[in-house]
Amino acid sequence: MASPYVTFSREQWRGLRASTPLTISDEELACLQGLNEKLSLTEVADIYLPLSRLLNLHVGATQELYQATHTFLGNLEKKVPFIIGIAGSVAVGKSTTARILQTLLSRWPNHPKVDLVTTDGFLYPNRILEERGLMKRKGFPESYNTRRLVSFLSEVKSGVVEVAAPVYSHLVYDIVPDEWQIVREPDILIVEGLNVLQTPLDENQRRLTEVFVSDFFDFSIYVDAQEDLIKKWYIDRFKLLRKTAFSDPASYFKRYASLSDEEAIEVAAGIWNEINGTNLRKNILPTRGRARLILEKGEDHMIQKVKLRRL
């Protein structure tokens, strides 16, 4: 069966950069990448610069279409944000992808204001998850307040001047009460999370909403890798967190700080097998084919192939 995607090797994709300038320094990249990711400027130049160029063309075309439509309708409403969704597994590196794209896209002159929101803020607070017996299903579709997320995106896409998103703390593993991220009329909004391409269903496989999160996206990206690689990255990150976030007395996971390497591997593998791997196979991976573009990673988080959906 013919694929809906055009597949580019790393070398082919690199050639699509054209004259796009490299606008990230080594120091900036060090701040943007994840805990156990060691991305180079070569990776940025080969993969992310062509992608930023593609997205810039999409944004420009959308802005022109919006202007043409409003000229036809005879009103002078300002343009609404171009929304990009980024999906993928826990530990696959989608947060790093989102941060790099935010930085690169903000340096194009026709869309300098680029905001980034993660869907973690739309998880139900722990007290609600505990009441519903969902603490071990955190990250599964039912653990998110999807209606609230849809309402947030609807307001952004409708041009509301200020829209508030809840804030999640990975340190305390919970929503932060009375803290908000305010989104103020960005040119581009990047929405990153496990669930952004999912079609939410309840326990009886009925739709939770008639409108999906992805309905608000102008472009969507899925960050992909083989599960054995993602599991390894998850375990490696877990081991590193023992010496960083887990060692903080305020950390929800402080009980893991004193684990030996062997114990940490066992615990992390157990969490992966019980929760994250199951969620990947059941809920996240099936949404890959809904993305406009797929970034396929190999060893060391290096992207080996790019798949772009045919128009």
Side-chain angles (χ1 to χ4, degrees):
M1 185 174 66
S3 171
Y5 291 94
V6 180
T7 300
F8 298 86
S9 68
R10 186 182 180 90
E11 292 71 25
Q12 290 169 326
W13 187 254
R14 179 196 299 134
L16 300 175
R17 170 186 173 181
S19 58
T20 308
L22 180 60
T23 54
I24 289 182
S25 66
D26 277 314
E27 293 75 17
E28 286 178 300
L29 183 58
C31 297
L32 295 172
Q33 61 192 5
L35 185 63
N36 61 326
E37 296 174 63
K38 303 298 179 187
L39 300 185
S40 66
L41 287 178
T42 299
E43 183 79 353
V44 174
D46 289 354
I47 302 299
Y48 292 101
L49 283 183
L51 179 52
S52 80
R53 177 177 175 241
L54 174 66
L55 291 169
N56 170 257
L57 292 170
H58 273 265
V59 174
T62 301
Q63 289 174 344
E64 289 180 6
L65 179 60
Y66 187 89
Q67 183 60 47
T69 301
H70 282 278
T71 298
F72 172 73
L73 294 174
N75 63 48
L76 299 175
E77 290 184 13
K78 54 192 169 184
K79 65 181 183 295
V80 295
F82 185 95
I83 301 183
I84 301 169
I86 300 181
S89 171
V90 167
V92 78
K94 63 187 179 300
S95 296
T96 296
T97 293
R99 290 190 293 266
I100 291 174
L101 285 177
Q102 180 187 23
T103 302
L104 290 174
L105 291 170
S106 68
R107 291 171 186 176
W108 287 87
N110 60 323
H111 44 72
K113 189 173 186 339
V114 183
D115 284 350
L116 169 60
V117 169
T118 72
T119 60
D120 293 338
F122 295 90
L123 285 160
Y124 285 110
N126 285 355
R127 60 178 177 78
I128 293 179
L129 295 177
E130 288 167 353
E131 289 171 3
R132 298 180 180 180
L134 293 175
M135 281 300 287
K136 287 192 174 182
R137 294 181 68 80
K138 204 168 192 178
F140 283 65
E142 60 268 30
S143 66
Y144 289 92
N145 189 337
T146 304
R147 287 190 177 90
R148 190 174 193 179
L149 176 55
V150 165
S151 177
F152 167 81
L153 291 172
S154 178
E155 290 185 5
V156 171
K157 205 64 171 170
S158 298
V160 175
V161 175
E162 289 191 352
V163 187
V167 173
Y168 183 84
S169 167
H170 287 277
L171 182 67
V172 300
Y173 197 57
D174 202 357
I175 301 296
V176 182
D178 302 317
E179 188 170 330
W180 306 91
Q181 177 183 352
I182 305 300
V183 174
R184 295 183 177 89
E185 299 181 293
D187 298 304
I188 298 173
L189 175 65
I190 299 173
V191 182
E192 176 260 308
L194 303 172
N195 62 325
V196 296
L197 295 178
Q198 291 168 9
T199 53
L201 304 174
D202 64 15
E203 62 274 12
N204 297 315
Q205 299 299 300
R206 295 175 301 196
R207 287 187 180 186
L208 288 173
T209 59
E210 288 302 314
V211 180
F212 302 144
V213 171
S214 58
D215 290 342
F216 297 94
F217 295 161
D218 298 287
F219 199 93
S220 55
I221 299 167
Y222 186 96
V223 184
D224 194 22
Q226 294 296 317
E227 184 178 345
D228 59 340
L229 286 177
I230 307 175
K231 181 177 179 179
K232 178 183 180 300
W233 297 336
Y234 177 77
I235 293 172
D236 289 345
R237 186 176 71 179
F238 188 94
K239 289 164 65 179
L240 287 171
L241 286 169
R242 288 175 304 162
K243 302 172 184 177
T244 53
F246 292 174
S247 62
D248 189 317
S251 173
Y252 179 87
F253 297 104
K254 58 183 178 289
R255 63 189 181 278
Y256 296 140
S258 60
L259 294 178
S260 66
D261 276 356
E262 292 76 14
E263 290 169 331
I265 291 170
E266 182 179 357
V267 169
I271 294 172
W272 178 268
N273 293 335
E274 182 180 1
I275 301 173
N276 295 317
T278 301
N279 194 22
L280 170 61
R281 292 185 296 273
K282 182 178 179 181
N283 299 308
I284 303 168
L285 188 58
T287 70
R288 179 176 57 188
R290 304 188 69 225
R292 180 74 64 87
L293 181 137
I294 301 170
L295 298 173
E296 288 192 359
K297 288 188 171 187
E299 296 283 352
D300 300 323
H301 286 273
M302 298 285 284
I303 293 167
Q304 303 301 321
K305 292 181 182 178
V306 178
K307 294 183 176 182
L308 179 63
R309 182 176 283 279
R310 302 174 192 271
L311 294 180

